[in-house]
Amino acid sequence: MNEREPSSIKPETVLNNIEVQKQSQTFKLEKVQKIVESKETEDLLYCLDVLEIRAVSIGEGDSAEVFVAEGTPFEKVCLKRIKKNPRVVCNDIDEENDFQIKAQEAGVRTPLPLISLQTDRGPCFLMERIDGHSMKDIIKNPELLPKGFKYDTFFKLLEEQVSIMHKSGLYHRDLHFGNVMINKENLPVIIDFGSAVSGSGSDFTYEGEVLVYNERSHRYEQKSGTFKDDLKSISELKEQFIGFK
């Protein structure tokens, strides 16, 4: 492989991040080993650097873009990078990473986060790459839908996943068809916890504050808004996917 430029990522930043997650018993080294074939921080950094160089975009939203690269072990991970001056800001990269870890620990199928950190290219995190496609991509290209898909079974499982999430005090608040994937086993995978929040039962409300970027002033302004209701979102997804029933 060609000589690489020196990494822009500070190893001590990643190391500290890993140590914090290890102490909270949320960073499972054995899972990392399966994904990147190493327990070494340097290899995670290398993986991140190569993704930066070889990166191919596979998805883009208002606030972030997701990149992948092919070849061992990069086909097992993806890189999510927050855009410069994203249109709407709810959670920062560390908060999103934490919510995703909590969701997975509760039993929700979501990509395993590996590293979240700040680089001179902006905030990003490295995470497990799911072998599957978003509902949005499948609607555009039905051939991406795995064989044996069962509409009723899938949405029952998705409802169970959201129920698990709510019982653990997590609310996604952005369950549109780009944030729900179908993996090769025809199981729902919930992604993108950028709008997620902690709440408690009947006291929870989908009202909240967000930062919205003003193109004129080039500044963020705090605004109140109503987020997507998780259960109503599932009903909308059912309607959007009715052609696959």
Side-chain angles (χ1 to χ4, degrees):
M1 185 175 293
N2 296 332
E3 193 73 20
R4 295 183 298 122
E5 293 293 322
S7 174
S8 61
I9 306 163
K10 296 179 180 179
E12 61 271 20
T13 302
V14 180
L15 185 59
N16 289 339
N17 182 279
I18 290 176
E19 286 303 320
V20 168
Q21 294 193 42
K22 280 169 64 179
Q23 289 168 13
S24 62
Q25 297 182 339
T26 58
F27 193 82
K28 306 293 192 294
L29 289 179
E30 69 275 12
K31 290 185 179 180
V32 176
Q33 185 178 27
K34 291 179 181 178
I35 293 171
V36 298
E37 300 181 351
S38 174
K39 295 183 180 180
E40 298 299 323
T41 301
E42 290 77 9
D43 287 325
L44 290 173
L45 288 171
Y46 173 71
C47 193
L48 186 57
D49 264 0
V50 172
L51 267 167
E52 290 277 13
I53 296 167
R54 300 182 184 174
V56 176
S57 176
I58 59 168
E60 183 177 1
D62 288 337
S63 302
E65 193 166 5
V66 178
F67 300 91
V68 299
E70 301 306 325
T72 304
F74 313 113
E75 77 278 3
K76 299 295 184 182
V77 295
C78 62
L79 174 70
K80 180 173 182 176
R81 178 165 300 292
I82 304 302
K83 293 180 178 179
K84 182 179 180 181
N85 299 327
R87 190 178 67 82
V88 178
V89 177
C90 297
N91 298 327
D92 63 31
I93 197 72
D94 292 322
E95 290 171 327
E96 181 175 351
N97 181 73
D98 289 343
F99 279 126
Q100 201 158 316
I101 289 172
K102 289 176 182 176
Q104 189 174 86
E105 289 186 329
V108 178
R109 276 183 296 276
T110 187
L112 171 69
L114 299 176
I115 298 174
S116 65
L117 68 161
Q118 299 284 338
T119 75
D120 59 5
R121 303 182 186 101
C124 66
F125 68 84
L126 190 69
M127 60 183 170
E128 173 189 9
R129 180 178 174 183
I130 299 299
D131 189 358
H133 300 278
S134 70
M135 295 177 67
K136 179 180 179 180
D137 289 340
I138 291 171
I139 289 173
K140 290 180 179 178
N141 182 4
E143 291 183 1
L144 296 176
L145 185 68
K147 293 181 180 179
F149 176 81
K150 295 181 179 179
Y151 178 95
D152 292 331
T153 300
F154 176 82
F155 280 104
K156 181 180 179 181
L157 291 172
L158 180 58
E159 288 168 352
E160 289 174 355
Q161 290 283 284
V162 171
S163 176
I164 291 170
M165 192 165 56
H166 288 180
K167 286 178 181 177
S168 68
L170 294 176
Y171 293 79
H172 189 278
R173 306 195 302 177
D174 196 23
L175 279 179
H176 58 73
F177 66 174
N179 285 340
V180 177
M181 297 183 69
I182 302 176
N183 70 12
K184 63 180 182 180
E185 287 87 22
N186 279 312
L187 299 175
V189 180
I190 297 174
I191 64 173
D192 194 348
F193 284 75
S195 297
V197 70
S198 295
S200 56
S202 59
D203 295 331
F204 180 75
T205 173
Y206 282 93
E207 300 295 324
E209 300 288 331
V210 295
L211 294 176
V212 179
Y213 189 69
N214 187 314
E215 295 285 353
R216 284 189 171 184
S217 66
H218 301 290
R219 294 180 179 179
Y220 281 96
E221 300 172 354
Q222 191 167 14
K223 293 187 177 182
S224 298
T226 301
F227 290 83
K228 292 173 69 69
D229 181 302
D230 291 345
L231 297 180
K232 289 181 180 178
S233 293
I234 293 177
S235 296
E236 293 173 4
L237 291 173
K238 285 182 177 180
E239 292 179 11
Q240 292 170 324
F241 224 61
I242 194 67
F244 296 94
K245 188 170 183 179

